[in-house]
Amino acid sequence: MKQVTGKTNSNTTINKVSIRLALDGHSFSISGEEEHEVKSEVTVEVLTPRTLLVPAELLNQTSDIEKEMADLLVMAGLAMKSGDCVICSHENSGVAAIMAVPQNAISRIQNRFKHKVRYTTPLLELTAEGTTLRIHRVADLLYIKVYSENCLQLAEVVPIIGESDLLYLFERIETEFPLKTYRAIISGDNPKRLHKLLGRRFKEVICE
């Protein structure tokens, strides 16, 4: 699991599109692009396990940002595959997300939308205060962020195939963090089911 160290809202009209990537990293679907006419800015939410949060300052200090991002993914065990490119999200509270994405998915987005495109991920957008664990499920991806006294301790995207994978993951997390002292905020797909499976591990559970 990856330890990390370190919302921008705009008054501009923003439309949202999702790119959902299969676990093989190459199959993908795009939803939301035909729902409305784009007027100003498009926010593309990229759903992929190959996502890494890094201090935005780290990227601002490099002259070759694409190489730096690719190297960071390699160091995190999330190396790009053939046909991939690397993209960066907007900055949120001093943190940015870098993601490995098929180039054809990005080309399709750029060809479809002629206005400004910015990228994001649930791993970047989910926030919490206090000693809290954020759990957000989208299909077979679980987004996890652990905060201890407002300080982000861990942020990770984990592929989850079945409930046994889910339970094993939280057994591992519990060896790192005393979950009985944590509040859990659960969101995304079927939060009540996640509450039923995991709720006893926490002092308090909130479903969004």
Side-chain angles (χ1 to χ4, degrees), residues 5-199:
T5 55
K7 193 170 203 172
T8 303
N9 294 317
S10 170
N11 292 327
T12 306
T13 300
I14 298 175
N15 298 301
K16 193 168 188 179
V17 175
S18 291
I19 300 178
R20 181 170 295 186
L21 305 179
L23 295 184
D24 62 11
H26 293 285
S27 302
F28 65 93
S29 62
I30 300 178
S31 63
E33 60 176 327
E34 303 297 342
E35 292 178 2
H36 36 58
E37 191 68 27
V38 177
K39 296 180 180 179
S40 181
E41 181 176 301
V42 175
T43 294
V44 176
E45 182 180 62
V46 180
L47 305 174
T48 172
R50 289 182 297 154
T51 302
L52 180 69
L53 296 189
V54 298
E57 182 180 2
L58 183 65
L59 301 179
N60 294 335
Q61 294 174 346
T62 181
S63 59
D64 190 345
I65 187 170
E66 288 193 9
K67 183 179 185 303
E68 179 70 15
M69 291 192 298
D71 289 346
L72 288 169
L73 287 172
V74 169
M75 288 187 285
L78 302 170
M80 292 162 50
K81 300 179 182 180
S82 176
D84 279 355
C85 65
V86 60
I87 59 174
C88 184
S89 74
H90 62 281
E91 180 179 337
N92 187 346
S93 301
V95 178
I98 56 178
M99 296 162 279
V101 184
Q103 179 63 62
N104 56 346
I106 298 304
S107 296
R108 179 174 166 184
I109 286 290
Q110 292 174 341
N111 290 335
R112 168 64 179 83
F113 301 108
K114 305 306 179 184
H115 299 275
K116 180 180 179 181
V117 175
R118 69 181 210 164
Y119 298 98
T120 191
T121 166
L123 198 64
L124 182 68
E125 301 296 339
L126 296 171
T127 59
E129 296 182 349
T131 298
T132 302
L133 194 149
R134 288 296 311 259
I135 306 167
H136 181 78
R137 185 166 190 171
V138 183
D140 293 330
L141 295 178
L142 199 70
Y143 291 80
I144 299 171
K145 296 182 81 168
V146 180
Y147 292 84
S148 179
E149 296 181 355
N150 298 325
C151 181
L152 181 61
Q153 300 294 313
L154 179 143
E156 189 162 355
V157 189
V158 184
I160 297 293
I161 303 304
E163 292 182 356
S164 59
D165 286 351
L166 182 71
L167 295 174
Y168 175 70
L169 171 64
F170 276 86
E171 286 177 5
R172 288 184 57 202
I173 292 175
E174 204 158 18
T175 65
E176 301 285 339
F177 303 99
L179 297 186
K180 282 293 186 183
T181 66
Y182 280 73
R183 175 184 61 155
I185 302 176
I186 303 175
S187 57
D189 297 346
N190 202 357
K192 291 184 178 179
R193 180 58 182 168
L194 290 179
H195 185 181
K196 183 176 180 180
L197 289 170
L198 304 172

